Amino acid sequence: MLWVMTMARRLNGVYAAFMIVAFMMGIAGALQAPTLSLFLSREVGEEPFRVGLFYTVNAIAGILISLLLAKRSDRQGDRRRLIMFCCLMAVGNAMLFAFNRHYLTLITCGVLLASLANTAMPQLFALAREYADNSAREVVMFSSVMRAQLSLAWVIGPPLAFMLALNYGFTTMFIIAAGIFLISLMLIALMLPSVARVEQPAAVAITQVSGWQRKSVRMLFIASTLMWTCNTMYIIDMPLWISHDLGLPDKLAGILMGTAAGLEIPAMIIAGYYVKRFGKRKMMIVATAAGVLFYGGLIFFHSQQALLLLQVFNAIFIGIVAGIGMLWFQDLMPGRAGSATTLFTNSISTGVILAGVLQGALAQGYGHAVVYWATGAISLVTLAITSRVKEE
């Protein structure tokens, strides 16, 4: 938080507001996401397949709702008001999880609220891109520093989440998350600007605006989906794997996630600095190669020290993909910042769909170790596809 405030003193108020809101919303999300599989397994009492199914259903609903909201946000209305609405839904979702332990309620009402809530972050980044374009700011660095706030939040969030859940209970943890979302809502209302839409000229081809007709966009979507499939399988399975199979402390899961998030910050900043020199394609190839080393390493190295060291490769992988990947989509879809950012986040959601099914089926049918052989194989395919995407 000190780093955020230092940035705020150096930069203008609106810029600082984006950084602070991204950090606050990141903290709230980082309290809930890392412990979800543990919550469903221990508090709700569900088997691995139904834990994975929850992630899949949540991702499918998220894709449908975020696409509808993204199209509306790009064409009409105040994007800032949409972000505020999504934050309000996030408060409701956190409170539902705080006091409900019924699987069917969580996978229906909870998933609906979560889908609306999760749209807030891509819309926040879309608003930031429009603000940067309108104010003639350096877009890549602005986005990289803003994305670094999420990593900073994930340095603090996962260890704090496991500490709260294991020592004070999941109810306390979810109530605190709801309170942080409420503070974020007030900050958005008071500090973030409304940015006027920029109409695309008639000369711009519809295929250029829609983006999906481009082979490069489709290839990037597939590659990004597979990247996030690996990442989500790891996030879902790792807290269960280290406690059930490896016999390591539960709190180690939060430490591993926090370590990776902390290392992501310099990875993002360095990637934002060098992207003009090397290009987005080369940076993404470096990222996926680091992913191959990380997921391959999980197959063979299982000590606490080795798992901590492997987070260096995990940080390079996620740090570059999360920042540069989103900007690549935006560059390929000019004038559609909301749709482009949502397409990127929907590649994450599609990855979650695949990850939920694969992790649940593999863990229940063959054990947790097989999950990491699968992520290693998928990461190799991802590297091959990424190397074939053209930088435009």
Side-chain angles (χ1 to χ4, degrees):
M1 190 63 182
L2 179 61
W3 186 71
V4 178
M5 298 309 296
T6 301
M7 293 293 294
R9 286 194 297 269
R10 293 176 57 191
L11 303 166
N12 72 44
V14 175
Y15 189 106
F18 276 110
M19 301 299 124
I20 295 170
V21 170
F23 176 77
M24 294 293 291
M25 290 174 61
I27 282 283
L31 283 178
Q32 299 175 89
T35 58
L36 180 58
S37 61
L38 205 63
F39 170 78
L40 293 172
S41 176
R42 294 188 179 180
E43 289 284 302
V44 186
E46 293 301 328
E47 59 189 16
F49 179 77
R50 282 165 71 90
V51 172
L53 179 65
F54 186 93
Y55 280 83
T56 298
V57 173
N58 189 40
I60 292 172
I63 288 175
L64 296 175
I65 290 175
S66 63
L67 278 175
L68 291 173
L69 293 179
K71 288 181 180 179
R72 184 185 183 281
S73 71
D74 282 335
R75 293 175 181 172
Q76 59 181 328
D78 185 344
R79 198 186 299 278
R80 184 177 64 97
R81 290 183 181 273
L82 177 58
I83 298 170
M84 292 168 59
F85 170 76
C86 292
C87 274
L88 186 60
M89 295 301 100
V91 174
N93 179 62
M95 294 303 291
L96 178 66
F97 274 75
F99 296 105
N100 189 283
R101 299 295 183 270
H102 189 251
Y103 183 80
L104 290 179
T105 303
L106 295 175
I107 205 172
T108 52
C109 296
V111 161
L112 176 61
L113 290 172
S115 299
L116 293 167
N118 291 339
T119 306
M121 194 59 75
Q123 289 297 320
L124 180 66
F125 274 91
L127 182 63
R129 174 67 185 253
E130 292 170 343
Y131 170 74
D133 287 338
N134 285 4
S135 59
R137 288 192 170 273
E138 213 292 314
V139 172
V140 174
M141 206 61 195
F142 182 28
S143 181
S144 295
V145 174
M146 187 171 165
R147 181 61 181 79
Q149 307 311 308
L150 297 186
S151 292
L152 181 61
W154 274 75
V155 173
I156 302 168
L160 180 61
F162 280 92
M163 184 275 290
L164 291 172
L166 296 175
N167 295 329
Y168 301 98
F170 283 95
T171 297
T172 300
M173 185 198 72
F174 283 118
I175 289 174
I176 291 173
I180 296 174
F181 272 123
L182 190 59
I183 294 172
S184 300
L185 173 61
M186 292 187 289
L187 290 174
I188 293 165
L190 296 174
M191 300 175 69
L192 290 192
S194 296
V195 180
R197 295 289 182 273
V198 177
E199 296 293 333
Q200 282 291 297
V204 176
I206 187 65
T207 54
Q208 183 178 358
V209 175
S210 66
W212 187 249
Q213 298 299 321
R214 287 185 170 188
K215 181 180 179 181
S216 55
V217 174
R218 297 195 302 270
M219 291 282 286
L220 183 58
F221 181 84
I222 293 170
S224 183
T225 295
L226 294 178
M227 295 173 197
W228 295 108
T229 298
C230 293
N231 178 253
T232 307
M233 288 177 71
Y234 167 74
I235 289 176
I236 297 172
D237 195 80
M238 185 267 289
L240 306 175
W241 177 53
I242 64 171
S243 60
H244 293 171
D245 286 17
L246 303 185
L248 297 171
D250 288 339
K251 66 180 181 180
L252 178 61
I255 295 172
L256 293 176
M257 292 182 186
T259 300
L263 295 171
E264 282 173 22
I265 296 174
M268 287 176 186
I269 301 301
I270 293 171
Y273 182 79
Y274 282 105
V275 69
K276 284 188 176 181
R277 180 181 299 182
F278 298 107
K280 297 181 179 67
R281 179 177 178 273
K282 288 183 179 179
M283 299 296 289
M284 291 286 280
I285 290 174
V286 168
T288 50
V292 170
L293 293 174
F294 173 63
Y295 295 110
L298 292 175
I299 297 172
F300 301 106
F301 304 104
H302 301 153
S303 69
Q304 183 169 333
Q305 294 75 14
L307 292 174
L308 284 168
L309 288 174
L310 285 172
Q311 300 308 314
V312 173
F313 299 108
N314 189 21
I316 294 171
F317 173 55
I318 298 300
I320 296 176
V321 168
I324 303 303
M326 180 181 66
L327 292 173
W328 203 350
F329 275 107
Q330 291 176 345
D331 288 348
L332 293 174
M333 299 174 65
R336 300 293 298 275
S339 294
T341 308
T342 299
L343 188 60
F344 172 72
T345 57
N346 280 346
S347 73
I348 302 176
S349 298
T350 306
V352 173
I353 293 171
L354 296 175
V357 173
L358 288 173
Q359 185 278 334
L362 290 173
Q364 186 160 327
Y366 304 99
H368 294 287
V370 178
V371 172
Y372 301 95
W373 284 95
T375 55
I378 295 171
S379 67
L380 284 171
V381 175
T382 302
L383 177 60
I385 294 175
T386 304
S387 65
R388 296 183 61 185
V389 178
K390 295 181 180 180
E391 184 168 23
E392 298 183 31

